[in-house]
């Protein structure tokens, strides 16, 4: 065949193709089917910041397929690169989160980012189990779900992304995140840094995807997407309730309102320090943070004195309590909620807004109130800590259970009596229970154990880790492979 003849065949083929009806209708909209396909599936396959949920799911799915084909040594290298990058950028991410949300303190957000980078478990969490006997050998291996949909909060935006990303990728998954719209820049920057780290370690570029403009709608689109079989929800009551409406597996890390009990055997000076340290950390936005104190009457004066004189707490009383309540809380038909303008703000910002004079730079506001005061019964997420006097351990437990509102989240106690430590731990039945330490010790910060920023409470998985985001698969071999 001559060159001439070949060219004639090509020209004829193109002519025929251009006549095809599907091409005509698509080209009328300015796109051929091949082009439309390449726009979504090829041209943008390496995009982690996507225009819509469909693209975000698709790109995450492709990356997860690549992850599945890589070996565990590769995966360990990706995780290690994510940890290094998170450490390197811990400060800039903290600054970004603080600037964007106005919540908490940059220094404490740095610590949360480092905690997530260092103490989120890796591949060691996925241990395989083996059972051998007369019938042979059975293995149970932990397998990925595929693409996980993760909804993240405004209160710990970057540390939750770091923690979730390490856990979920360790388990072999990819993730489509829907960060809180009020923390989207910081959250997206954390994702960019982590994706870059994975890429620089030789991994796929889109294991963590999201949309340009996360909204409640995109969150729901992710929750209902048929290719997303597992949801990880970190947030308040409304988002947990919303996720539960979808007929799929939900790991829900919901709200808390953690009580702390102080009995009269406690080391009061130490208890005062722990409580102020925990309740003022990141201006109280952590879900595990001390939110109300039940202290024995006979040591309450001493506790308050230690908190105010030695630990930087500012005591308010009388009409000032009402002023603060009117300022930091909103009320609708008897239901209180925190005023978002004061969530995670400094104690001095709140005192100034209430017109209450103070000196120095208090790190926490404390107030003695009755057991049913809205300060006690509302998860405020700001540095105002109510203190309620109780006569004994039974009254403390009874009121702490009411204040915890069945969240089964976190609680603390300060006591030297083994009987009380055991009784309260059992009675409160929370996911995290901390004895004689600040609340954040329960997250592995100054306490033993790994960390998680997604503490699954209503669905019961507890502190989540890579293993939480896996499916157990059993493989049975009849008769063979025993060595004994
Ligand atoms: P939030 O509930 O306002 O938002 C959390 C996430 O849910 C955000 O991404 C938000 O956009 C999304 N969301 C909220 N309502 C939704 C709906 N109807 N449909 C779809 N998406 C929705 O919470 P926040 O202020 O960002 O975070 C603080 C809350 O989260 C507190 O209640 C705190 O206790 C809880 N929290 C729990 C944990 C935990 O591990 N258990 C960790 C951090 C925060």
């Amino acid at each position: 065949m001559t060159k001439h003849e070949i060219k004639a065949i090509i020209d004829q083929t193109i002519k025929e193709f251009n006549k095809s009806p599907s091409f005509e209708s698509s080209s009328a909209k300015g796109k051929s089917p091949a082009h439309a396909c390449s726009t979504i599936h090829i041209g943008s396959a390496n995009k982690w910041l996507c225009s819509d949920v469909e693209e975000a799911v698709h790109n995450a799915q492709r990356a997860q397929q690549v992850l599945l084909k890589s070996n565990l040594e590769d995966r360990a290298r990706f995780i290690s690169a994510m940890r290094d990058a998170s450490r390197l950028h811990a400060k800039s991410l903290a600054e970004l989160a603080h600037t964007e949300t106005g919540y908490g303190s940059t220094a404490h957000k740095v610590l949360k980012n480092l905690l997530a980078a260092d103490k989120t478990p890796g591949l060691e969490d996925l241990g395989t189990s083996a059972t051998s006997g007369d019938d042979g050998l059975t293995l149970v291996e932990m397998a990925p779900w595929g693409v996980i949909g993760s909804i993240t909060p405004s209160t710990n935006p970057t540390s939750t992304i770091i923690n979730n990303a390490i856990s979920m990728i360790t388990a072999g998954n990819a993730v489509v995140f829907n960060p809180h719209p009020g923390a989207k820049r910081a959250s997206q920057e954390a994702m960019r840094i982590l994706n870059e780290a994975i890429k620089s370690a030789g991994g796929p570029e889109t294991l963590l995807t999201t949309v340009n403009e996360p909204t409640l709608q995109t969150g729901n689109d992710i929750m209902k997407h048929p290719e997303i079989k597992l949801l990880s929800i970190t947030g308040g009551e409304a988002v947990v309730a919303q996720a539960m409406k979808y007929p799929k597996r939900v790991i829900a890390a919901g709200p808390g309102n953690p009580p702390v009990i102080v009995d009269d055997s406690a080391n009061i000076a130490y208890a005062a320090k722990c409580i102020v340290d925990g309740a003022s950390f990141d201006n109280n936005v952590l879900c595990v943070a001390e939110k109300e104190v039940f202290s024995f009457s006979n040591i309450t004066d001493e506790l308050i004195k230690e908190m105010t004189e030695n630990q930087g707490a500012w005591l308010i009383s009388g009409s000032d309590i009402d002023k603060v309540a009117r300022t930091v809380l909103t009320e609708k038909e008897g239901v209180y909620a925190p005023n978002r303008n004061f969530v995670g703000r400094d104690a001095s910002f709140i005192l100034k807004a209430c017109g209450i004079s103070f000196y120095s730079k208090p790190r926490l506001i404390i107030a003695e109130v009755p057991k049913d005061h809205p300060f006690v019964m509302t998860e405020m997420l700001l540095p105002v800590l109510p203190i309620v006097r109780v006569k004994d351990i039974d009254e403390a437990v009874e009121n702490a259970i009411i204040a915890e509102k069945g969240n089964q989240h976190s609680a603390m106690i300060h006591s030297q009596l083994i009987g009380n430590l055991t009784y309260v731990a059992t009675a409160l039945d929370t996911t995290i229970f901390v004895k004689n330490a600040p609340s954040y010790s329960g997250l592995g910060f100054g306490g033993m154990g790994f960390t998680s920023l997604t503490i699954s409470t209503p669905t019961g998985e507890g502190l989540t880790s890579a293993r939480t985001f896996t499916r157990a698969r059993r493989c049975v071999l009849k008769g063979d492979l025993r060595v004994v």
Side-chain angles (χ1 to χ4, degrees):
M1 204 180 285
T2 65
K3 268 189 192 169
H4 224 75
E5 285 166 331
I6 293 172
K7 186 172 181 307
I9 291 171
I10 292 172
D11 287 348
Q12 182 58 29
T13 310
I14 290 172
K15 221 168 161 183
E16 293 297 320
F17 183 66
N18 284 352
K19 269 193 218 147
S20 86
S22 64
F23 181 83
E24 302 284 31
S25 59
S26 302
S27 63
K29 292 184 208 141
K31 283 180 188 168
S32 71
H35 184 204
C37 199
S38 70
T39 306
I40 298 169
H41 297 157
I42 299 168
S44 63
N46 58 358
K47 252 173 63 185
W48 63 270
L49 190 56
C50 301
S51 49
D52 57 37
V53 166
E54 205 52 49
E55 188 182 37
V57 172
H58 181 81
N59 290 356
Q61 238 174 353
R62 281 176 61 117
Q64 201 254 342
Q65 291 303 313
V66 177
L67 182 67
L68 273 185
K69 291 192 185 101
S70 60
N71 59 33
L72 289 176
E73 201 181 319
D74 294 329
R75 206 185 296 177
R77 207 175 52 249
F78 305 156
I79 300 300
S80 170
M82 290 165 77
R83 292 189 201 280
D84 289 346
S86 303
R87 285 184 204 111
L88 188 66
H89 296 280
K91 186 159 178 275
S92 60
L93 287 174
E95 284 166 349
L96 200 53
H98 182 248
T99 310
E100 187 176 15
T101 61
Y103 294 172
S105 99
T106 302
H108 292 164
K109 288 186 184 301
V110 173
L111 295 175
K112 291 198 292 189
N113 289 340
L114 291 174
L115 183 70
D118 292 337
K119 292 193 86 174
T120 303
L123 286 169
E124 72 284 357
D125 200 41
L126 300 178
T128 298
S129 74
T131 311
S132 70
D134 291 344
D135 282 328
L137 176 71
T138 292
L139 289 180
V140 177
E141 293 190 326
M142 307 314 290
W145 282 81
V147 179
I148 297 175
S150 175
I151 311 280
T152 56
S154 57
T155 46
N156 321 309
T158 56
S159 45
T160 305
I161 299 275
I162 294 169
N163 168 256
N164 277 196
I166 292 176
S167 294
M168 293 170 187
I169 292 177
T170 294
N173 303 289
V175 195
V176 179
F177 280 107
N178 203 64
H180 193 292
K184 84 174 175 203
R185 279 183 52 234
S187 307
Q188 289 171 343
E189 180 60 4
M191 294 172 62
R192 186 191 69 74
I193 286 165
L194 293 166
N195 276 322
E196 277 293 316
I198 297 166
K199 183 180 165 192
S200 68
E205 296 175 44
T206 57
L207 281 174
L208 311 171
T209 65
T210 189
V211 290
N212 284 306
E213 292 302 332
T215 59
L216 296 192
Q217 183 56 52
T218 57
N220 276 279
D221 292 346
I222 290 170
M223 290 189 221
K224 69 171 175 241
H225 198 287
E227 295 301 320
I228 289 184
K229 307 277 190 304
L230 179 65
L231 297 174
S232 169
I233 309 294
T234 311
E237 219 173 320
V239 68
V240 169
Q242 185 61 22
M244 299 286 195
K245 290 182 185 158
Y246 295 99
K248 57 181 73 176
R249 174 97 198 277
V250 177
I251 292 167
N257 195 35
V260 48
I261 291 175
V262 188
D263 77 13
D264 57 1
S265 73
N267 176 337
I268 303 302
Y270 174 72
K273 175 171 172 25
C274 291
I275 294 170
V276 178
D277 283 352
S280 65
F281 186 81
D282 213 18
N283 286 339
N284 202 264
V285 295
L286 270 181
C287 55
V288 297
E290 292 82 351
K291 300 279 191 289
E292 61 278 339
V293 182
F294 296 100
S295 68
F296 278 29
S297 287
N298 56 345
I299 51 93
T300 299
D301 290 342
E302 189 189 346
L303 183 70
I304 289 175
K305 188 163 180 276
E306 282 293 337
M307 291 169 100
T308 52
E309 291 186 3
N310 298 323
Q311 297 305 331
W314 189 265
L315 179 68
I316 54 168
S317 55
S319 61
D320 283 351
I321 294 179
D322 299 334
K323 268 191 215 165
V324 173
R326 277 198 304 273
T327 305
V328 303
L329 293 173
T330 60
E331 189 262 343
K332 201 174 169 195
E333 293 166 10
V335 178
Y336 292 87
N339 177 339
R340 282 271 161 186
N341 296 329
F342 294 93
V343 166
R345 296 298 177 145
D346 290 347
S348 49
F349 177 87
I350 294 170
L351 290 168
K352 268 186 214 151
C354 298
I356 297 171
S357 50
F358 62 97
Y359 55 83
S360 182
K361 195 175 184 304
R363 49 181 183 145
L364 185 70
I365 300 165
I366 56 173
E368 207 186 320
V369 296
K371 63 185 181 190
D372 53 357
H373 191 275
F375 283 171
V376 176
M377 297 306 297
T378 312
E379 187 197 31
M380 296 194 290
L381 303 161
L382 47 84
V384 175
L385 185 71
I387 300 175
V388 178
R389 279 180 204 253
V390 291
K391 66 174 188 300
D392 58 21
I393 199 69
D394 290 326
E395 191 180 330
V397 165
E398 189 185 320
N399 290 319
I401 289 173
I402 294 169
E404 217 274 320
K405 297 197 280 193
N407 291 317
Q408 296 184 298
H409 197 299
S410 299
M412 280 61 66
I413 186 170
H414 291 275
S415 171
Q416 298 301 319
L417 297 176
I418 288 180
N420 280 357
L421 295 176
T422 309
Y423 166 45
V424 177
T426 312
L428 288 183
D429 193 21
T430 48
T431 304
I432 294 178
F433 189 75
V434 176
K435 299 163 176 169
N436 296 326
S439 50
Y440 47 66
S441 308
L443 298 183
F445 187 58
M448 295 303 291
F450 69 88
T451 202
S452 179
L453 274 299
T454 293
I455 302 142
S456 163
T457 41
T459 51
E461 289 80 5
L463 278 83
T464 59
S465 62
R467 201 173 182 84
T468 316
F469 302 104
T470 56
R471 297 158 47 229
R473 292 181 56 192
R474 172 187 275 216
C475 180
V476 178
L477 178 72
K478 174 81 178 173
D480 278 318
L481 282 187
R482 281 192 56 152
V483 293
V484 180

